[in-house]
Amino acid sequence: MSTRPEFFRGLVLAAATALLLTNTALAETATSLPAAGPPSVADLAEGLLDAVVNISISQNVKSDDDNAPMPQVPEGSPHQEFFDEFFKGQGGEGNRPRTVNSLGSGFVIDPTGFIVTNNHVIQDADDIEINFSDGSKLKAKLVGMDTKTDLAVLKVEPKKPLKAVSFGDSRKIRIGDWVMVVGNPFGLGVSVSVGVVSARGRNINAGPYDSFIQTDAAINRGNSGGPLFNMRGEVIGINTAILSQTGMSVGIGFAVPTELAMNVVNQLKEFGETRRGWLGVRIQPVTDDIAESLKMERPRGALVSGIIEGGPITKGEIKAGDIIIRFDGTDVAEIRDLMRAVGESPVGKMVDVIIIRDGKEQTVRVTLGRLEDGEQLANAPAKENGEGAKPNEPPAAQLPASDVVLGMKLAVLDADRRKSFGIADSVEGVVVTEVQPNSAAAERRVAAGDVIVEIGQEAMATPDDVSTRVEELKNDGRRNALLMIANKTGELRFVTVQME
């Protein structure tokens, strides 16, 4: 019995020794592991705060600013009702004239006074004032803006050089990297928040060049137009939008990456406007059905649905029905890739474009035009021939139509039918005179007055051509027929119609 206390003292000593050794091992392991996150961003933030500014605007309006620009999520998204912009006019009722005062953020990119922000922060502003961190204020003028990327460049006239920040390479940022947001949330003044990159290349349907950086760093109204920094103090994004039901941060914010913004900012700064490349084609997505009908292994590329007259394509280098899969060394997985690559290319540059035509790849060379000029051509009303008929007015009763094919009644496109449907002289093919309700063609919104130009990349001239080609495709094991459809003015689109 006398040995029992000695036994317990031995157990306690052994346990204490084991605990000491364990703690020592844990400490050694901890010191050998990389830091879980930045221990502090105080030094980093201190060197950047003076370059971030608050932007105050005033605007005389007649009613609530319900039509303020707001990026939209894709149609049908479960998050659509929660999507909100940062910047919206407050106060006032009815249509009485009033002054709206709003706040946003921006940052200095040049000591001489050039400042970057979002276009929706300053759009339609009557007065723009820049508030600096030291309390000073300067009036700003608009140098240039770009609605497609929601960016704008302002200019102030400082008495001494300003603190400026530089752009970094957003292509090097990885999911999980730490980032820092500096801005003016709710008009409180310069504030800092830290988070990580949650995703890259996000498309929120805000514009044709969407490729946003998503971050969980706290971004709220008033942060719009402010910088997203990497841990080297470089701007790798411009905060633009949030996904939120309340307008407050829920950890899903979006920033325009500098790989997209830098070229736009430089052009606005130099020219006061953008000068984007332009290919001069109308495009639509390559869907699963289209890929299957063309015997493609998988959907990819951008399907050319038309060539804009007066554009860069003057010698048939690219034709309707071609699929663009590579542009100037950049793979085109979807139409956004093509739009972004073309838009970022210099005007007048000669580029190689790889297309699929008749099932074979080939390379063509095209000299790019200027998008801003091309938009006027693309939006110009098409010339119409044919008088006295509404677009979908049925043809005269004495004009017989063929049997039904894929739910469509078809007829030869002669002079009488051109006049009856108001179809331009330049349009060639087989006219649709009637579409049966609930048919495969009706599901694809084919309507009376449409003209079938091609089926399965073969030109159509008569209703018999249509019937024969459909039977050929069925015998070839195809489930869908790819139709090139022209409207009365000649604008083309591609639809796939089930043949089963």
Side-chain angles (χ1 to χ4, degrees):
M1 297 294 295
S2 61
T3 60
R4 196 174 185 86
E6 295 298 329
F7 172 75
F8 281 113
R9 279 196 293 272
L11 285 178
V12 171
L13 180 60
T17 302
L19 180 61
L20 177 62
L21 292 174
T22 300
N23 289 338
T24 302
L26 289 174
E28 292 175 351
T29 302
T31 58
S32 64
L33 291 175
S40 173
V41 294
D43 291 339
L44 178 65
E46 186 177 6
L48 302 173
L49 295 181
D50 289 344
V52 181
V53 300
N54 300 338
I55 299 176
S56 174
I57 76 150
S58 62
Q59 177 185 358
N60 297 320
V61 297
K62 294 182 179 181
S63 60
D64 286 343
D65 192 13
D66 292 331
N67 294 320
M70 181 173 74
Q72 301 292 322
V73 294
E75 187 67 27
S77 168
H79 305 299
Q80 192 163 12
E81 63 179 304
F82 302 132
F83 196 78
D84 196 0
E85 87 279 26
F86 297 143
F87 193 82
K88 199 169 185 178
Q90 302 293 326
E93 295 181 356
N95 293 321
R96 293 174 299 176
R98 61 192 177 85
T99 300
V100 173
N101 296 298
S102 299
L103 295 171
S105 301
F107 55 97
V108 181
I109 60 168
D110 189 308
T112 61
F114 286 97
I115 295 170
V116 172
T117 186
N118 280 148
N119 175 59
H120 75 258
V121 168
I122 51 81
Q123 187 173 17
D124 299 324
D126 295 309
D127 185 71
I128 305 173
E129 188 172 66
I130 307 299
N131 305 296
F132 295 89
S133 60
D134 62 1
S136 61
K137 300 179 180 181
L138 290 174
K139 296 292 184 181
K141 68 176 182 178
L142 176 63
V143 175
M145 61 182 183
D146 178 44
T147 58
K148 291 182 174 63
T149 55
D150 194 20
L151 295 176
V153 174
L154 309 175
K155 181 69 168 65
V156 295
E157 300 299 334
K159 294 182 180 179
K160 60 181 181 179
L162 300 175
K163 170 69 177 181
V165 291
S166 59
F167 286 120
D169 189 350
S170 60
R171 293 171 298 183
K172 295 180 179 179
I173 201 78
R174 299 187 304 163
I175 295 174
D177 279 349
W178 288 96
V179 287
M180 182 175 70
V181 168
V182 183
N184 178 35
F186 303 108
L188 295 172
V190 176
S191 300
V192 175
S193 64
V194 177
V196 299
V197 173
S198 305
R200 295 183 43 130
R202 285 294 196 217
N203 177 15
I204 61 174
N205 203 28
Y209 308 114
D210 279 17
S211 185
F212 288 99
I213 297 172
Q214 179 183 325
T215 179
D216 66 350
I219 300 175
N220 291 284
R221 287 184 177 178
N223 281 115
S224 192
L228 180 70
F229 290 106
N230 61 19
M231 290 296 103
R232 290 187 293 275
E234 300 167 331
V235 178
I236 49 92
I238 296 93
N239 304 316
T240 297
I242 58 174
L243 188 71
S244 174
Q245 187 177 21
T246 63
M248 298 183 183
S249 175
V250 294
I252 303 178
F254 303 99
V256 179
T258 54
E259 62 191 277
L260 179 62
M262 284 180 62
N263 190 42
V264 173
V265 169
N266 289 336
Q267 289 182 0
L268 293 178
K269 183 179 174 183
E270 183 175 358
F271 306 113
E273 61 185 2
T274 55
R275 298 185 177 183
R276 291 188 171 95
W278 180 51
L279 194 55
V281 298
R282 293 186 176 91
I283 55 176
Q284 67 181 72
V286 178
T287 63
D288 291 335
D289 289 340
I290 290 176
E292 187 273 336
S293 66
L294 295 176
K295 291 188 173 181
M296 298 175 64
E297 294 182 359
R298 56 184 173 83
R300 61 172 176 147
L303 176 60
V304 178
S305 60
I307 307 299
I308 298 175
E309 186 176 352
I313 309 299
T314 58
K315 300 178 181 178
E317 302 96 327
I318 298 176
K319 300 178 181 179
D322 291 344
I323 297 178
I324 299 174
I325 60 172
R326 193 171 178 83
F327 175 87
D328 197 24
T330 300
D331 289 332
V332 178
E334 57 181 356
I335 59 175
R336 275 197 311 152
D337 298 331
L338 179 62
M339 295 173 68
R340 193 159 53 243
V342 174
E344 293 176 356
S345 299
V347 177
K349 182 180 182 181
M350 181 174 286
V351 297
D352 289 334
V353 182
I354 299 179
I355 61 174
I356 297 177
R357 179 182 297 169
D358 299 328
K360 299 179 181 179
E361 290 188 14
Q362 54 183 285
T363 301
V364 298
R365 304 207 78 189
V366 180
T367 300
L368 299 179
R370 185 185 175 205
L371 175 63
E372 291 74 14
D373 297 332
E375 286 176 332
Q376 299 178 9
L377 292 173
N379 295 329
K383 296 180 180 179
E384 298 182 18
N385 297 319
E387 301 174 356
K390 297 179 181 179
N392 291 323
E393 181 181 345
Q398 69 269 23
L399 302 177
S402 74
D403 293 335
V404 175
V405 180
L406 300 177
M408 301 175 291
K409 287 187 177 181
L410 309 172
V412 173
L413 182 56
D414 55 19
D416 290 331
R417 291 187 177 90
R418 283 189 190 277
K419 182 176 181 180
S420 179
F421 285 107
I423 299 171
D425 291 339
S426 60
V427 178
E428 298 292 343
V430 179
V431 64
V432 178
T433 62
E434 184 180 337
V435 178
Q436 294 181 334
N438 302 319
S439 64
E443 291 178 357
R444 296 301 187 181
R445 299 184 180 180
V446 179
D450 284 342
V451 177
I452 301 175
V453 180
E454 292 182 358
I455 296 182
Q457 297 185 315
E458 287 191 9
M460 299 289 107
T462 68
D464 287 341
D465 291 341
V466 175
S467 300
T468 300
R469 183 57 175 154
V470 168
E471 288 302 316
E472 289 175 351
L473 294 175
K474 286 182 179 179
N475 295 333
D476 195 30
R478 308 282 185 93
R479 294 178 298 173
N480 301 297
L482 180 63
L483 277 60
M484 180 193 288
I485 301 289
N487 65 12
K488 65 169 185 172
T489 64
E491 185 174 341
L492 300 174
R493 72 182 192 277
F494 287 87
V495 299
T496 55
V497 179
Q498 286 188 349
M499 297 185 293
E500 298 174 352

